[in-house]
Amino acid sequence: MRASKVTGVIGMVGLGAVLLTGCGDSDDGGDSKPFAKDSADQIAAKAVAATKGAESMRLKGDMKQADGKSVSLDLAVDQEKNCEGTVDTAGTKAELRHTNGTLYVRGNEQYWKSALKGQPGSQKVLAKVVDKWVKMPADDAQTAGMCDKQGLVASMDEDKSTRKGMKKGDTTSVDGKEAIMLTKKASGGETHTLYVATEGKPYILRSSVKGGDKPNEATFTDYNKPVKPETPGKGETVDLKELAASGR
C-alpha cells in the first residue's frame, strides 16, 4: 500500500477558492458610510492585504461540493503553518494538527474507510489508524498545502472575474464587530457577499455565497491569536509511512 494513496480525502480541504469568493471594484453608498472614499474594489483589496498580513486567523465554514456532499471546516492557522482544527464531510470526520513541520490526522472509522478504500490490506491498516493520530508523510503532495494560511487567502484571487462588479452595501455586525457588506449577483443566480471590518484593520470577517449549486459561508475570527497545537503523544501516534512500508 502506498502512503500517498490514502490521503486523497484530505485534499477536500482546498476550500479557499470556494469559501473566499467575493472581491469587487464597483462603488456605491454615501459619504457618511465607512470607506466612503473607497470603491468596493479598493475595500476588497485592502481586506485581502490585511488578511494576508495577519499573523494568524481561524476559518470556520460550510460548503457544498459538486457531488452534493456538505463539508464543514473549523481551522486555526498561522503564518508559520501551525494549525489545528476539524473537517467533517457527511459524517467523515477528521481532526488535524500541524506542528514542527509535521501534519497529524485523527480520523473516525468512516474517514479511514473512505481513505483506504481499494487499498491492499486496508482492513488490517484500518484497525491501526482509527482514532489514532496518524503522522502523514512529509513528502505527500496532497497534504502539503493543508495549513498554508497564505495559500488559503491567495486562492481568492485565482479567478479575477469573481472580483468584478460588486457593490458597497450597508454596515452590519459579524460576531459583535462592525462590518461593511460588499455584494454581487453572479450570472448563475447566486449572490456573493463579503463582510469587511470597518474598525481597526480591514480584515475579512465573513464570506458567503447564497443560491447556485455550491452555496457556502465562512467566518474569519481570532486574528493574530497564537496557534500552538500540541504534538500527539507517542502512545497515540501511528506513522503512516512506516506502516505502509511494513506492509502490516
Side-chain angles (χ1 to χ4, degrees):
M1 178 187 67
R2 295 181 59 186
S4 62
K5 289 187 177 181
V6 305
T7 59
V9 175
I10 301 173
M12 66 189 176
V13 191
L15 303 181
V18 180
L19 292 173
L20 300 179
T21 55
C23 303
D25 50 16
S26 292
D27 197 2
D28 196 8
D31 290 343
S32 63
K33 294 183 178 181
F35 298 109
K37 296 181 180 180
D38 295 315
S39 68
D41 179 64
Q42 291 169 326
I43 297 170
K46 290 179 178 180
V48 172
T51 302
K52 282 184 177 180
E55 287 299 316
S56 63
M57 67 180 188
R58 180 182 178 188
L59 166 62
K60 188 175 183 179
D62 297 283
M63 64 166 287
K64 182 176 288 186
Q65 296 180 309
D67 59 7
K69 292 182 179 179
S70 295
V71 178
S72 295
L73 174 72
D74 189 347
L75 186 68
V77 60
D78 68 12
Q79 297 278 40
E80 304 301 318
K81 299 186 179 180
N82 296 305
C83 77
E84 59 182 335
T86 60
V87 180
D88 185 343
T89 304
T92 299
K93 300 179 181 180
E95 297 175 70
L96 312 173
R97 289 185 191 175
H98 191 277
T99 181
N100 297 320
T102 301
L103 176 66
Y104 300 89
V105 178
R106 182 163 67 180
N108 64 2
E109 184 174 359
Q110 188 173 342
Y111 172 87
W112 285 111
K113 280 184 176 179
S114 179
L116 296 167
K117 187 176 181 179
Q119 299 302 310
S122 60
Q123 286 302 315
K124 290 182 178 180
V125 174
L126 184 66
K128 297 179 182 295
V129 297
V130 170
D131 294 327
K132 291 284 189 178
W133 283 106
V134 179
K135 182 180 179 180
M136 307 305 294
D139 59 352
D140 187 82
Q142 296 187 64
T143 60
M146 281 288 300
C147 294
D148 185 355
K149 171 185 172 290
Q150 296 298 70
L152 286 172
V153 180
S155 65
M156 71 180 71
D157 246 358
E158 288 180 345
D159 184 355
K160 299 295 183 183
S161 67
T162 63
R163 302 180 66 244
K164 304 299 181 181
M166 295 192 80
K167 300 288 185 180
K168 290 163 63 175
D170 295 328
T171 55
T172 186
S173 178
V174 178
D175 292 336
K177 299 181 182 296
E178 185 178 280
I180 186 171
M181 298 170 60
L182 306 178
T183 61
K184 173 185 176 180
K185 191 78 170 182
S187 59
E190 64 272 20
T191 300
H192 297 254
T193 307
L194 186 71
Y195 300 78
V196 179
T198 61
E199 298 175 348
K201 293 188 177 181
Y203 293 130
I204 298 170
L205 299 182
R206 181 173 293 161
S207 177
S208 71
V209 178
K210 304 294 184 183
D213 58 355
K214 295 181 181 179
N216 64 78
E217 181 171 274
T219 301
F220 305 84
T221 60
D222 294 346
Y223 280 103
N224 301 309
K225 183 177 180 179
V227 181
K228 297 181 178 181
E230 294 184 3
T231 300
K234 290 184 178 179
E236 55 181 354
T237 303
V238 174
D239 189 317
L240 186 61
K241 195 170 185 178
E242 292 181 0
L243 188 62
S246 71
R248 292 182 291 140

